[in-house]
Amino acid sequence: MRPSALIPALLSAAALVLAFLCLFAGHKKNFMEDYSILTLNTSRLGEGVVNGTLGNSDSTLGSLWDLVPDSIQNDVSEAAGVVTEKLGIEDFYSAHLLDYCYGQYTPTEAANATVSAGDIHKNVTGCSNQTAMFYFNPTQIIEDALNKSGLDVTLDDLEWPADIQRGLDTLRVVSITAFVLYCISIGLIFLSFIAALVAVFTSGRLSACVNLLLGILAFLAIGLASALVTAVIEKGGDIINEHGKDIGLEAGKGKKFMALTWVSTGCMFLVLVMWCVETCVGRRRKGAYVNGKHG
Ligand SMILES: *[C@@H]1O[C@H](CO)[C@@H](O)[C@H](O)[C@H]1NC(C)=O
Ligand SMILES: *[C@@H]1O[C@H](CO)[C@@H](O)[C@H](O)[C@H]1NC(C)=O
Ligand SMILES: *[C@@H]1O[C@H](CO)[C@@H](O)[C@H](O)[C@H]1NC(C)=O
Ligand SMILES: *[C@@H]1O[C@H](CO)[C@@H](O)[C@H](O)[C@H]1NC(C)=O
Ligand SMILES: *[C@@H]1O[C@H](CO)[C@@H](O)[C@H](O)[C@H]1NC(C)=O
Ligand SMILES: *[C@@H]1O[C@H](CO)[C@@H](O)[C@H](O)[C@H]1NC(C)=O
């Protein structure tokens, strides 16, 4: 019996649940939507079109202008909101590990005098189909929406920067590797949990060593997955914000997702440390016993 092994068992169980949540957050509508990796705020995308149309009513986009109610035609930001909606572009697109979701900000898209930023919530309209090896491709998502809108507006009219996709494409391999590592981590953490349970009922050094080995592997896997996804969040967010600034595109970084994945990594680190101690103490205890027996 080794009752102390209950602690790493519990920590592994916690890490397992957290790693699962990382993988499945947002996999369906309204399931942990706040735990997205990146959130694209596209509510002001129409602004470029509106600005481009303001001066010349004879452009191909002139007809688009007719869709905007007279009452708000002199308010660029309001008009942009309406145009964005007519183009079939949602207020936000949020990337998760398995899919992306989209929807509208309620009660309003931007904070104003009566509605503070904290009062604005995401109202999810739907999510894409789940796919393993999913990769977030905002350029294609927006192009798709424009094609479906039936209006003759292209990415060029939105002044959509090609650099966004070029930048995000460099993160594709990192993002897919992170997904694979989450799957491997979940497997290893599960084994580590089972091994810890077994160790509660046995006391040999072998089980401590097996636990230590599994602990090291699981920690490395979840640690690397967390590092890679953190890189995607930080780098991807910076790329989008840098190139999107001019067209009113904003990216929110997944702070809550990072908290989730790093707490899971922290749990596995503690498990690893405990088995390290247990292996060393176990050796000393056994040494003392052997000496006692022979002495
Ligand atoms: C649209 O015009 C307004 C006012 O002229 C300006 O502040 C804003 O940056 C412009 N937006 C875009 C996307 O060009
Ligand atoms: C969305 O982006 C616009 C333009 O950058 C900004 O004014 C607005 O506050 C953002 N909305 C949210 C909910 O982040
Ligand atoms: C703020 O936005 C809300 C929701 O769209 C609107 O009802 C309200 O009138 C706005 N307040 C101001 C001061 O513009
Ligand atoms: C979310 O949007 C749906 C329709 O798209 C609407 O019926 C519902 O009232 C909205 N929810 C909130 C909280 O605004
Ligand atoms: C999503 O899956 C459904 C049924 O599984 C299918 O009918 C639909 O075409 C898929 N959508 C996309 C965008 O792949
Ligand atoms: C949208 O339409 C353009 C031109 O018709 C086409 O080249 C492009 O592949 C389409 N995009 C998507 C995502 O279907």
Side-chain angles (χ1 to χ4, degrees):
M1 285 292 277
R2 180 164 21 201
S4 63
L6 272 177
I7 299 171
L10 288 177
L11 282 170
S12 298
L16 186 61
V17 170
L18 293 176
F20 249 111
L21 292 180
C22 285
L23 190 55
F24 288 105
H27 80 289
K28 62 178 189 209
K29 201 175 149 182
N30 288 330
F31 180 74
M32 297 177 69
E33 174 53 38
D34 285 344
Y35 293 81
S36 57
I37 293 174
L38 285 171
T39 302
L40 242 58
N41 171 352
T42 45
S43 60
R44 283 287 169 268
L45 268 194
E47 205 165 289
V49 180
V50 170
N51 277 8
T53 326
L54 272 178
N56 50 343
S57 53
D58 53 16
S59 78
T60 53
L61 301 174
S63 59
L64 198 61
W65 200 232
D66 298 337
L67 299 171
V68 181
D70 288 340
S71 55
I72 58 167
Q73 287 207 349
N74 44 19
D75 183 341
V76 170
S77 130
E78 280 283 320
V82 172
V83 169
T84 309
E85 200 183 317
K86 300 281 185 202
L87 290 176
I89 298 172
E90 302 277 354
D91 277 356
F92 69 83
Y93 293 88
S94 54
H96 301 280
L97 274 180
L98 294 174
D99 63 355
Y100 69 88
C101 294
Y102 45 88
Q104 302 286 324
Y105 285 121
T106 59
T108 171
E109 288 143 17
N112 64 20
T114 48
V115 180
S116 71
D119 293 333
I120 299 179
H121 296 289
K122 288 169 165 179
N123 186 354
V124 182
T125 310
C127 296
S128 69
N129 286 348
Q130 290 173 48
T131 30
M133 313 278 186
F134 164 74
Y135 183 67
F136 188 48
N137 191 336
T139 303
Q140 198 195 332
I141 295 169
I142 301 293
E143 194 177 19
D144 234 4
L146 292 178
N147 280 6
K148 277 197 201 126
S149 75
L151 298 166
D152 192 18
V153 177
T154 62
L155 285 178
D156 289 341
D157 297 322
L158 290 180
E159 293 165 38
W160 182 269
D163 283 340
I164 286 188
Q165 203 53 44
R166 233 171 273 144
L168 288 182
D169 278 346
T170 62
L171 295 174
R172 179 190 292 259
V173 174
V174 181
S175 163
I176 289 173
T177 311
F179 166 78
V180 172
L181 277 170
Y182 272 106
C183 298
I184 294 174
S185 312
I186 286 173
L188 286 170
I189 297 174
F190 179 70
L191 288 180
S192 161
F193 168 66
I194 298 292
L197 280 188
V198 170
V200 173
F201 300 104
T202 56
S203 51
R205 253 190 84 206
L206 178 66
S207 83
C209 287
V210 168
N211 266 290
L212 179 58
L213 182 67
L214 282 173
I216 291 172
L217 291 177
F219 169 71
L220 287 179
I222 188 75
L224 195 53
S226 301
L228 291 182
V229 89
T230 301
V232 171
I233 291 174
E234 292 293 342
K235 193 85 179 56
D238 287 347
I239 288 171
I240 295 170
N241 283 329
E242 186 190 331
H243 299 293
K245 204 168 57 221
D246 294 338
I247 59 164
L249 178 67
E250 271 183 15
K253 297 177 182 177
K255 295 264 158 28
K256 287 185 174 177
F257 184 96
M258 282 203 266
L260 211 58
T261 189
W262 284 110
V263 169
S264 177
T265 307
C267 287
M268 285 321 289
F269 181 69
L270 288 179
V271 168
L272 166 62
V273 167
M274 280 176 184
W275 286 117
C276 251
V277 171
E278 182 68 29
T279 317
C280 300
V281 170
R283 180 185 299 154
R284 212 180 306 135
R285 224 188 271 135
K286 187 163 182 199
Y289 173 70
V290 169
N291 288 345
K293 196 175 175 184
H294 291 285

